[in-house]
Amino acid sequence: MIASQGGANPLNKQQLPKVHFKTTNEMLEEFRFLGEDGAKKAVIEASQHIANMIEEIHPIPDDLYTPKIEGADQEMRDMSYNRARRIYGDTLPEIVEARLEKELKSIIGHGFAVIYLISQKLVKKSLNDGYLVGSRGSVGSSFVATMTEITEVNPLPPHYVCPKCHHSHFFDDGSVGSGFDLPDKDCPECGTAYIKDGQDIPFETFLGFKGDKVPDIDLNFSGAYQPRAHHYTKELFGEEYVYRAGTIGTVAEKTAYGYVKGYQSDYNLMMRGAEIDRLVSGCTGVKRTTGQHPGGIIVVPDYMDIHDFCPIQFPADDKNAEWKTTHFDFHSIHDNLLKLDILGHDDPTVIRMLQDLSGIDPKTIPTDDPEVMKIFSGPDVLGVTEDQIMCKTGTLGIPEFGTRFVRQMLEETKPSTFSELVQISGLSHGTDVWLNNANELIYEGICELKDVIGCRDDIMVYLIYKGLEPSLAFKIMEFVRKGKGLQPEWIEEMKKHDVPDWYIGSCQKIKYMFPKAHAAAYVLMAVRIAYFKVHHPILYYASYFTVRADDFDLDTMIKGSSAIKAKIEEINLKGLDAAPKEKAVLTVLELALEMCERGFSFQKVDLYRSSATEFQVEGTTLLPPFNAMTGVGTNAALNIEKAREAGEFLSKEDLQQRAKLTKTVLEHLDEHGCLGDMPDSNQLSLF
């Protein structure tokens, strides 16, 4: 490890000093100059004497210290009940009230109301500023989180509820997977069209069976909004009480392998494979650098000081950084301080852009549009064939459903309902849940997609419906999702309650499982985006290329379908040898091909009309921004946009000076044809 430091210059190479932990005999040898008795006294007696004087201390406190907000408990209770009554009527259905009471008892009883309240304030601020927030992880399992608008996922059993007279009907027998799949129906009391909701997710997956697990509320803010959300925590708590969560970067196995190989060549050593592996495993995991968590904010309560828990530092020693970070990595203090996960994500940004372009409120988009559901089994609804777009589904560019692996799953399962999409999301993120497990069961016709185990919550819900004790059902779910399998007495109990053998076998193969609430939240965002892809295609492509895509090949994209197809085939032929940049361009080209086959096209970048960073819709065409061009960065793009406000450019020289462009950027603009026949300089030619 020491030999790997110092860079390429051989003069900077370091030697390992002799600073290993010495044995007692080696230490006595070092202190020999004090004489035999003196050495013994210094090495053995004095060191033990000092050790005995030191009392045991804990470097950090044992308990969880959350911020205190006056009246938080009552505020959570009022907020939950008020919204529940607005939706389900003044006299709440028993199932709703029981769930609220059960959750509030846990949340308030264990002092978690503050955590909910803080998350609620963050989400509310983002919604007021016009950005939807997606929830991550299992927070959607909490009905209180739904009622306080922290998450859009409703974990109650699937149900109908009337928006006018609040009449409701619940399906709590496991017969319906998701409320969004219920057929449209009018309220028998007043004739208004029912609202359909409910994903059937137990609360236990969020706070544990006893409701005492510290809640980890992860929120996906729009990437564009994330810094504002982070900053808002400073307003809420005060600058000296919020810090970014520190991380510790360690040596990865591949890097360690490089160290060993480098050492071998430096000293011309020959080592056996086993010795190389031994040295690699010794270097792997050693602390290497500090960093900061991209979205984790640590909140110190105002009656404590950050130094009660850990030292703080600037990230990468940058004294001008806006945020200080914790010196210990977060895992060392996660049981003691509250961490808010304020993460950046593309979905809310895409939805915001689609909302701006179309004027449609994303919350009003139907979740069971039959046309939208068709794209998950084939591209016909987009008006193109499989051969035209080189893809057997219509899900290119749909978050969670656009990757090759998931598209393969869609081809095999052909889902047609929201709950099946949630299943697929769970299956695709788990380990040993789909491959060699569910896919074989479906292929052999043993069961259908809706029956297999997709998300961790399915196990608990299924076993409770089968008649097992809720606490045992929870325990089985926890063991299976962590890959610990089943114990013999549980298998007996499951068989007693008619749980089929294939189900038990499936449980024993699983290594990791996804929470259903996370899958439901992501599928909800995906379905909204898919709605635009089907019904407002040009707006969808504009938002996709603006927000999600980073690498473009504009010259090919402008030429249309056949050029794009040729390029895709060229990259595909390279297979695994394709460079990472080519693989990133490939995804963008697949969408560009689909867009062109649907009758749309790309224009050239225009010096006076193009935006710096956004694709603009002009009829059936998209006008690309400057930063989509190869070699033109966002800063240069913004400079061009700013410089042209002062009027027309007289020459290339004028453009370069006013927009502070480098020679290369200017060349790229010229090659692309943006500059037309603009003269090189302002000098007038007389001849």
Side-chain angles (χ1 to χ4, degrees):
M1 287 201 66
I2 300 268
S4 73
Q5 306 301 305
N9 186 341
L11 297 174
N12 291 342
K13 287 284 182 199
Q14 305 286 319
Q15 287 287 318
L16 180 67
K18 290 203 169 195
V19 290
H20 61 282
F21 278 123
K22 294 181 166 62
T23 63
T24 306
N25 287 335
E26 283 176 312
M27 290 291 280
L28 289 169
E29 185 59 32
E30 293 284 343
F31 282 90
R32 201 174 53 186
F33 61 88
L34 293 175
E36 199 173 323
D37 282 356
K40 200 172 172 187
K41 206 168 191 172
V43 173
I44 300 168
E45 291 165 24
S47 55
Q48 288 194 1
H49 177 65
I50 290 171
N52 292 335
M53 289 162 67
I54 298 170
E55 59 190 282
E56 263 195 27
I57 60 159
H58 289 274
I60 46 179
D62 284 340
D63 305 323
L64 173 71
Y65 294 91
T66 53
K68 286 201 174 16
I69 296 178
E70 274 307 307
D73 296 356
Q74 195 55 44
E75 195 172 340
M76 279 311 299
R77 179 174 282 281
D78 293 347
M79 222 186 298
S80 308
Y81 268 100
N82 290 345
R83 183 146 186 253
R85 289 196 176 106
R86 282 205 303 278
I87 297 171
Y88 298 102
D90 289 341
T91 311
L92 291 176
E94 192 186 330
I95 196 165
V96 176
E97 183 143 19
R99 177 76 175 238
L100 270 182
E101 270 312 307
K102 174 183 172 182
E103 289 197 16
L104 286 167
K105 190 175 154 207
S106 259
I107 293 163
I108 292 171
H110 291 102
F112 300 148
V114 170
I115 300 177
Y116 270 79
L117 193 57
I118 293 165
S119 305
Q120 190 271 337
K121 285 178 188 294
L122 285 163
V123 174
K124 193 87 187 136
K125 173 135 176 73
S126 181
L127 293 175
N128 290 346
D129 291 344
Y131 286 90
L132 273 186
V133 179
S135 62
R136 280 171 74 95
S138 47
V139 64
S141 323
S142 163
F143 185 55
V144 169
T146 314
M147 289 300 98
T148 50
E149 293 188 83
I150 294 170
T151 176
E152 288 186 84
V153 178
N154 186 324
L156 292 178
H159 58 275
Y160 287 118
V161 58
C162 173
K164 194 171 172 193
C165 71
H166 309 303
H167 179 266
S168 58
H169 178 65
F170 285 83
F171 298 84
D172 53 358
D173 54 357
S175 60
V176 184
S178 159
F180 294 156
D181 299 333
L182 291 166
D184 286 340
K185 196 173 166 186
D186 292 339
C187 169
E189 304 285 318
C190 71
T192 313
Y194 267 141
I195 288 172
K196 306 175 296 186
D197 210 344
Q199 306 298 336
D200 209 0
I201 310 172
F203 175 55
E204 285 76 1
T205 41
F206 186 44
L207 292 189
F209 195 74
K210 296 195 180 96
D212 56 357
K213 198 171 105 193
V214 179
D216 184 12
I217 299 181
D218 293 4
L219 299 168
N220 277 339
F221 288 83
S222 157
Y225 189 78
Q226 188 192 16
R228 281 160 71 182
H230 281 174
H231 201 77
Y232 183 55
T233 57
K234 288 186 178 177
E235 285 177 39
L236 278 177
F237 303 106
E239 192 142 348
E240 63 276 28
Y241 297 110
V242 285
Y243 298 89
R244 286 293 274 276
T247 56
I248 289 177
T250 55
V251 174
E253 193 176 347
K254 280 184 178 167
T255 316
Y257 189 76
Y259 289 174
V260 177
K261 283 290 183 197
Y263 188 77
Q264 267 185 288
S265 68
D266 287 353
Y267 293 95
N268 292 326
L269 300 172
M270 282 302 293
M271 291 179 184
R272 295 199 322 241
E275 173 62 0
I276 291 175
D277 290 348
R278 185 184 76 85
L279 292 170
V280 166
S281 67
C283 295
T284 305
V286 172
K287 291 178 185 177
R288 185 179 180 191
T289 176
T290 58
Q292 61 183 128
H293 189 286
I297 303 273
I298 301 280
V299 182
V300 183
D302 56 8
Y303 52 89
M304 303 286 278
D305 180 65
I306 182 68
H307 297 100
D308 293 333
F309 301 93
C310 79
I312 48 174
Q313 65 184 51
F314 287 105
D317 300 332
D318 172 11
K319 287 188 178 169
N320 301 318
E322 234 179 274
W323 284 86
K324 295 186 182 114
T325 61
T326 62
H327 177 69
F328 296 158
D329 79 317
F330 171 67
H331 297 288
S332 318
I333 48 178
H334 71 84
D335 288 336
N336 316 99
L337 283 174
L338 169 62
K339 167 163 154 273
L340 300 171
D341 279 307
I342 302 175
L343 302 146
H345 202 273
D346 282 343
D347 287 359
T349 318
V350 169
I351 285 183
R352 172 63 202 246
M353 182 169 173
L354 287 167
Q355 184 180 354
D356 290 344
L357 289 172
S358 67
I360 296 171
D361 176 359
K363 289 194 169 179
T364 61
I365 292 171
T367 44
D368 58 351
D369 186 300
E371 299 293 291
V372 171
M373 284 298 164
K374 284 181 193 164
I375 68 166
F376 296 100
S377 40
D380 308 347
V381 70
L382 304 177
V384 288
T385 62
E386 293 176 11
D387 296 340
Q388 275 178 287
I389 62 165
M390 303 165 79
C391 173
K392 291 181 180 170
T393 67
T395 57
L396 284 172
I398 299 295
E400 300 292 301
F401 296 97
T403 61
R404 297 217 158 165
F405 174 57
V406 182
R407 285 182 348 230
Q408 183 69 40
M409 287 172 71
L410 294 172
E411 285 168 36
E412 290 174 36
T413 53
K414 303 225 178 298
S416 58
T417 62
F418 189 88
S419 57
E420 286 177 340
L421 294 178
V422 173
Q423 282 283 64
I424 295 229
S425 181
L427 290 165
S428 64
H429 287 88
T431 309
D432 289 349
V433 183
W434 170 250
L435 295 175
N436 311 322
N437 197 338
N439 66 340
E440 290 174 7
L441 294 169
I442 293 172
Y443 181 69
E444 288 163 15
I446 295 169
C447 57
E448 293 177 20
L449 173 64
K450 65 179 172 50
D451 305 318
V452 298
I453 307 172
C455 303
R456 59 176 80 154
D457 316 61
D458 295 343
I459 299 175
M460 180 172 169
V461 172
Y462 175 80
L463 294 177
I464 290 174
Y465 284 139
K466 280 285 186 192
L468 267 80
E469 260 293 292
S471 59
L472 179 62
F474 175 75
K475 197 179 252 178
I476 291 174
M477 171 184 77
E478 287 293 284
F479 266 67
V480 172
R481 80 174 179 90
K482 291 174 183 165
K484 294 181 183 171
L486 298 169
Q487 296 185 1
E489 62 269 26
W490 298 348
I491 295 176
E492 266 176 53
E493 188 65 25
M494 287 161 86
K495 284 186 171 167
K496 265 188 221 164
H497 289 85
D498 302 324
V499 174
D501 288 346
W502 65 260
Y503 195 94
I504 293 169
S506 195
C507 285
Q508 288 172 304
K509 291 179 182 173
I510 288 166
K511 300 281 185 299
Y512 164 77
M513 295 198 85
F514 216 43
K516 186 174 178 181
H518 185 112
Y522 274 42
V523 172
L524 183 58
M525 287 287 196
V527 166
R528 283 174 176 158
I529 291 170
Y531 177 84
F532 283 96
K533 180 170 186 177
V534 174
H535 298 290
H536 304 277
I538 192 74
L539 306 185
Y540 161 77
Y541 292 114
S543 71
Y544 178 87
F545 291 122
T546 300
V547 180
R548 287 190 182 280
D550 292 320
D551 297 299
F552 297 92
D553 179 350
L554 273 189
D555 296 335
T556 306
M557 286 155 70
I558 291 161
K559 290 175 191 160
S561 298
S562 45
I564 299 172
K565 223 171 202 174
K567 189 77 176 177
I568 291 176
E569 281 162 355
E570 182 193 316
I571 298 174
N572 280 337
L573 277 175
K574 294 187 181 174
L576 295 172
D577 297 332
K581 190 161 174 69
E582 286 180 306
K583 286 180 190 160
V585 169
L586 181 64
T587 313
V588 174
L589 289 175
E590 286 175 333
L591 269 133
L593 173 65
E594 182 184 85
M595 176 178 131
C596 293
E597 289 292 347
R598 289 179 78 184
F600 304 104
S601 60
F602 293 95
Q603 299 184 37
K604 279 188 173 178
V605 175
D606 185 291
L607 188 60
Y608 294 107
R609 287 176 20 250
S610 281
S611 146
T613 56
E614 287 192 4
F615 279 78
Q616 295 172 104
V617 178
E618 292 194 349
T620 57
T621 64
L622 285 184
L623 178 64
F626 294 116
N627 73 346
M629 293 170 62
T630 315
V632 180
T634 304
N635 281 342
L638 291 165
N639 285 345
I640 299 170
E641 197 178 42
K642 199 159 181 247
R644 72 182 181 203
E645 288 169 12
E648 207 172 316
F649 299 110
L650 303 174
S651 64
K652 293 175 187 173
E653 184 185 20
D654 183 33
L655 165 63
Q656 187 175 2
Q657 284 172 354
R658 273 164 56 189
K660 305 183 188 69
L661 302 180
T662 62
K663 203 163 169 242
T664 2
V665 170
L666 198 67
E667 281 165 12
H668 284 302
L669 288 168
D670 206 1
E671 280 164 24
H672 186 73
C674 293
L675 308 182
D677 45 13
M678 191 186 280
D680 286 340
S681 72
N682 292 353
Q683 297 289 327
L684 286 174
S685 165
L686 295 173
F687 304 104

